[in-house]
Amino acid sequence: MPSLASSPPYSHGFHSKSRDFKSNVCTIDVGGHLFQTTKQTLALAGPNSILSQACDDKNVIFIDRDPELFAILLSLLRTGNLSSKAKGIDLQDLIFEAKFYGIEHVLVGSQSNPSQFEAFNLEKSLVLSLNGRDSPNCMSTTPYGSVHVAHGSKITSFDWSLRKKATILTEFSAVDSLLSISPVIAAAGATDFSGLQILDLEKGFVRETLSWENVTRSSSTVQAIGSSPDYLFSSFESGRRNSSAIMVYDLQGGFRPVAEIGHCEIYGADLGSAIPATKLSWVPSYNLLMASGSHSGPHGVMGNIKFWDIRSGNVVWELKENVDCFADVTVMDNLSAIFKVGVNSGEVFFSDMRNMGAENSWECLGDKRKAMSGKKEGVGCKIQSHNNQVFCSKGGDLELWSEVMVGSLRKTDDYADGRVFRKNLMGREKDMGGSRITNLQFGGNKMFVTRKDQQCVEVWQSSVRGF
């Protein structure tokens, strides 16, 4: 057994009585209550916090604030989690106090950290009400759980705590596409209004309007918005609906246009020659932009999924959809896979991106007998990926698809690539059912759900200690 002298001086909150012990301890008087902690703990508050500045003061500093709230925040700094005592405290009071000390980022991390998202432990925890009679058209989230919701011509924003909300009125009759650029800046567009608008949601004004100049010089409506760490993408369609393109803007350079890709025109009766992209997703591992769009015609639903190299402007991979076209499609970068829900069958399909260019690359994960059905059971279904799971709505219910570990990679007829996915129904019975799900988004440790004809947003999350 090692001697006590050989043990490290600071370990797991215990400190030996060395010569430097007293010089390492800070004493703070908060509202008449003395608190003692170490300089290392206070340094976790960050250089801009008044607590980190207290490390350099040799005297006992006095702070005229609530000692009960300070005790909870000090415990948060020590452990990274809120103590059970926080359950009796109003979150808004704790937020105000954290802002005073300059440690709101620590509180956000403890309550909305994306690593706390547990797909198999989600339950409906909160319902966010919206003003007015309009149901949500679309919504967008930020990495730490704030959410912007477009309903009719309005956009309502909830901060990371979901306690504070603000609503602004836009020029659009209805916002059809919305993307969070920051907690207070968003890009918005509509299919019946020209231009992509960059909105300041905090101050309520249009910072900039981005447009696409098409050949006919008609209006350019927005069909979809996406982004990467460096670029903003917008799918435009001309007002005459005879041409479309995807514009690439520099996020770091004041939204300067840097490229135009996928420019196409309709010639004669060939409707499939210019289907605009209605969903844009960035795939970081491949450095590609996935653009998907579909069209319903007299011969059924047809569409395409294209992967664009934005540097060269070339299509790297294309999937043409004409048998069981997608009702919705998503890409999962973690698993190098694409998932779609078929518009006819309503079943989930999988395609391995590692086999780019392979023919008949879709593998049905559900009931293969429905794949050729013409009942259009997938109309309105939504599919989204998050972390290592795929979430698919079926009416008012949610399916959760996950890749499972298998004991052998021996190829079988059902799983030619040795990959196996299994389905679970989400949530408790009381949380599911009801109106058809219209939107799915993820932010922080939460999942956000909207339903048809309902003026609210459901918040799903696993239990978080403290609140």
Side-chain angles (χ1 to χ4, degrees), residues 168-188:
I168 66 167
L169 188 64
T170 70
E171 296 179 82
F172 306 110
S173 58
V175 179
D176 298 306
S177 300
L178 185 65
L179 178 74
S180 300
I181 298 175
S182 77
V184 296
I185 303 297

Side-chain angles (χ1 to χ4, degrees), residues 83-315:
S83 66
S84 57
K85 296 179 181 179
K87 292 183 178 180
I89 303 296
D90 186 273
L91 178 58
Q92 201 61 51
D93 292 339
L94 207 56
I95 292 173
F96 288 145
E97 207 69 4
K99 286 182 177 179
F100 171 80
Y101 290 108
I103 59 171
E104 186 184 13
H105 64 285
V106 182
L107 182 60
V108 172
S110 71
Q111 294 298 288
S112 300
N113 195 320
S115 65
Q116 297 171 341
F117 185 89
E118 300 178 16
F120 293 100
N121 192 30
L122 294 178
E123 59 184 49
K124 187 165 64 176
S125 61
L126 186 65
V127 175
L128 307 176
S129 60
L130 300 172
N131 300 324
R133 299 181 180 182
D134 296 305
S135 300
N137 306 330
C138 54
M139 59 181 171
S140 183
T141 59
T142 63
Y144 278 92
S146 57
V147 59
H148 307 306
V149 187
H151 48 118
S153 58
K154 301 177 290 294
I155 298 176
T156 296
S157 302
F158 296 86
D159 69 357
W160 68 267
S161 70
L162 304 181
R163 306 296 177 94
K164 179 183 177 182
K165 74 175 181 178
T167 301
I168 66 167
L169 188 64
T170 70
E171 296 179 82
F172 306 110
S173 58
V175 179
D176 298 306
S177 300
L178 185 65
L179 178 74
S180 300
I181 298 175
S182 77
V184 296
I185 303 297
T191 58
D192 60 353
F193 194 95
S194 184
L196 174 68
Q197 294 189 353
I198 308 300
L199 305 175
D200 188 317
L201 300 175
E202 186 175 47
K203 298 179 181 178
F205 72 98
V206 180
R207 292 183 53 172
E208 193 168 353
T209 299
L210 309 175
S211 298
W212 171 57
E213 294 187 7
N214 54 80
V215 176
T216 59
R217 298 187 180 277
S218 60
S219 60
S220 54
T221 60
V222 175
Q223 305 298 309
I225 312 173
S227 69
S228 71
D230 300 316
Y231 301 107
L232 175 69
F233 310 108
S234 180
S235 171
F236 286 103
E237 185 180 35
S238 66
R240 297 182 181 181
R241 305 190 69 181
N242 61 349
S243 60
S244 61
I246 298 172
M247 289 296 299
V248 182
Y249 300 96
D250 187 352
L251 269 179
Q252 314 303 326
F255 304 103
R256 175 179 58 88
V258 295
E260 175 186 311
I261 60 176
H263 185 181
C264 51
E265 306 279 342
I266 291 180
Y267 296 103
D270 186 10
L271 298 178
S273 63
I275 299 175
T278 53
K279 193 168 189 178
L280 300 172
S281 302
W282 180 249
V283 192
S285 296
Y286 291 81
N287 208 29
L288 298 174
L289 175 67
M290 186 187 80
S292 60
S294 62
H295 171 78
S296 181
H299 301 292
V301 181
M302 58 182 296
N304 57 59
I305 302 169
K306 297 180 180 180
F307 287 82
W308 291 93
D309 182 342
I310 62 173
R311 295 165 298 184
S312 65
N314 296 326
V315 176

Side-chain angles (χ1 to χ4, degrees), residues 19-36:
R19 295 178 182 177
D20 298 329
F21 175 73
K22 291 185 178 180
S23 63
N24 187 55
V25 173
C26 298
T27 303
I28 303 174
D29 185 343
V30 180
H33 292 251
L34 294 179
F35 294 87
Q36 285 192 320

